[in-house]
Amino acid sequence: MTRRAIILSLFFLFFLLPVSVSANDVYEVDADVLMVREGPSSDSDIIGKLKHGDRVSVFNESYGWYQTYFGGEKGWVASQYLVGTTDSNSENVDTNEEINITKENVRIRSGPGTNYRMIGSASLGDTYPLVETSGNWVKVELFSGNSGWIASWLTSKQTGSSSAESKDTVSNQSSDQAKGDLQGKTIILDPGHGGIDPGAIGMGGVFEKDLTLQVADDIATALRNAGAHVLLTRSDDRYVSLQQRVHISNAYNTDLFLSLHFNAMNSSAINGTSVHYYGEDSRQLAYQMQNDVSDHAGLTNRGVMQDGYYVLRNNQHQALLLELGFITNPHDLLTIQTQDYQVGLAKGITQGLVEYLQ
Ligand SMILES: [Zn+2]
């Protein structure tokens, strides 16, 4: 059957049969744009948008509205724009096959896509029985007996009889460390401030502009090692206007613009990292990025915030601004200046983007 025929028949089934929603039913969006709302009503506030072909995991129903997860939060969508996906794009496989995890800290999700909620994590070398595959995602049986989905590019497959061969694949892939996973992606790194603009001034006279350049350097190296095309808005201590920074992003086919900053406060007690976004299209990535930053930086997680910063507001591409710690807090400042923090942060951001930018 063609994909279109499958979708059409599911579409009719959907209307002819009484619809019963069980936990974690997966549906596909069958509209160009589908608003995600705070409540089950078209008067309710919009918290995001889904596009044609996006998949959602439904766990609740109310008067023709389905409740799902969007960017880590609960939201509602009108059910008439969703079609069931039962086996339409998935393939049941030989249950003898096992999935090997080839990266550290791999996310396990409730459905086959990065828009699904994270339900656990797997470590390098873990092995799980394969249940089924769907697109670039594999469904595995977890130790708890439940199942979860993992991005297939973070795994390798092995059958019971050829484990030696698969182990070779695992070691090759881990020594390459995500090489090629960001191939074809253009990422603009924007080290905040510079030249006559020192940015925040921290304890002991540390300048924000110097720290942003240091972390940008580590992040650029890690992203390039993963195959990304990385551009910096500045690579030395010079003044670059906000207009010029945005112009660089808009001049390229940018997949992500990442502005790097450190924070300051008149109270030395305030500490931690935060991720800022403006456009709705960057919201989901903001949540993912804050997880990656807080997992690897080891500083307090201050969360995700929507802000109209110039470099975000005027950007035509996905754009985030990271506040990577307070240089007016003694603990944050000491941590920020360590190699562990800078390399760990670069690794965390790169792993997150490998998963998100597919
Ligand atoms: Zn700044």
Side-chain angles (χ1 to χ4, degrees), residues 173-244:
Q173 289 191 359
S174 53
S175 63
D176 271 2
Q177 196 57 45
K179 191 170 186 175
D181 285 338
L182 290 175
Q183 205 80 49
K185 301 295 177 193
T186 299
I187 297 165
I188 312 273
L189 292 180
D190 176 42
H193 314 281
I196 54 164
D197 168 18
I201 300 174
M203 299 171 64
V206 170
F207 288 155
E208 180 186 358
K209 67 171 183 178
D210 295 327
L211 292 170
T212 58
L213 200 54
Q214 280 176 30
V215 295
D217 202 44
D218 284 321
I219 297 168
T221 303
L223 290 173
R224 282 174 183 143
N225 285 341
H229 178 221
V230 180
L231 294 162
L232 283 89
T233 55
R234 68 178 180 99
S235 52
D236 53 19
D237 184 20
R238 73 174 68 192
Y239 177 78
V240 182
S241 71
L242 297 179
Q243 288 86 341
Q244 284 172 291

Side-chain angles (χ1 to χ4, degrees), residues 2-260:
T2 65
R3 188 176 162 73
R4 193 181 163 78
I6 293 167
I7 288 173
L8 274 174
S9 49
L10 283 167
F11 187 77
F12 285 117
L13 273 176
F14 183 81
F15 281 100
L16 294 173
L17 298 173
V19 179
S20 71
V21 180
S22 61
N24 291 325
D25 273 353
V26 176
Y27 292 85
E28 200 169 283
V29 175
D30 191 29
D32 289 343
V33 178
L34 179 58
M35 301 302 172
V36 183
R37 297 181 184 271
E38 214 164 78
S41 148
S42 53
D43 298 333
S44 191
D45 284 351
I46 295 171
I47 61 169
K49 277 182 211 167
L50 293 163
K51 56 182 190 307
H52 192 269
D54 281 352
R55 287 179 162 208
V56 293
S57 185
V58 170
F59 60 88
N60 196 5
E61 196 258 337
S62 175
Y63 301 106
W65 289 77
Y66 281 177
Q67 194 173 22
T68 183
Y69 282 97
F70 183 83
E73 286 180 22
K74 290 173 181 174
W76 293 86
V77 291
S79 64
Q80 68 261 38
Y81 302 112
L82 295 176
V83 289
T85 59
T86 323
D87 290 332
S88 65
N89 190 27
S90 61
E91 163 194 341
N92 286 312
V93 293
D94 182 351
T95 47
N96 281 333
E97 284 182 315
E98 292 197 315
I99 287 299
N100 262 309
I101 306 300
T102 57
K103 303 274 160 59
E104 268 311 337
N105 293 318
V106 167
R107 279 147 212 237
I108 302 173
R109 297 185 182 273
S110 64
T114 52
N115 51 328
Y116 288 92
R117 156 176 79 94
M118 190 178 160
I119 57 171
S121 67
S123 303
L124 177 67
D126 285 354
T127 302
Y128 301 94
L130 176 62
V131 178
E132 65 175 79
T133 62
S134 176
N136 289 321
W137 290 75
V138 291
K139 188 179 187 181
V140 297
E141 191 184 319
L142 304 174
F143 304 126
S144 61
N146 296 330
S147 56
W149 292 86
I150 298 172
S152 63
W153 59 93
L154 306 173
T155 69
S156 71
K157 205 190 281 186
Q158 72 175 59
T159 51
S161 57
S162 62
S163 56
E165 193 188 319
S166 294
K167 278 193 184 107
D168 279 351
T169 317
V170 172
S171 57
N172 284 340
Q173 289 191 359
S174 53
S175 63
D176 271 2
Q177 196 57 45
K179 191 170 186 175
D181 285 338
L182 290 175
Q183 205 80 49
K185 301 295 177 193
T186 299
I187 297 165
I188 312 273
L189 292 180
D190 176 42
H193 314 281
I196 54 164
D197 168 18
I201 300 174
M203 299 171 64
V206 170
F207 288 155
E208 180 186 358
K209 67 171 183 178
D210 295 327
L211 292 170
T212 58
L213 200 54
Q214 280 176 30
V215 295
D217 202 44
D218 284 321
I219 297 168
T221 303
L223 290 173
R224 282 174 183 143
N225 285 341
H229 178 221
V230 180
L231 294 162
L232 283 89
T233 55
R234 68 178 180 99
S235 52
D236 53 19
D237 184 20
R238 73 174 68 192
Y239 177 78
V240 182
S241 71
L242 297 179
Q243 288 86 341
Q244 284 172 291
R245 293 171 197 257
V246 170
H247 178 75
I248 294 169
S249 176
N250 291 348
Y252 287 89
N253 190 13
T254 303
D255 292 288
L256 174 66
F257 176 92
L258 207 50
S259 193
L260 306 166

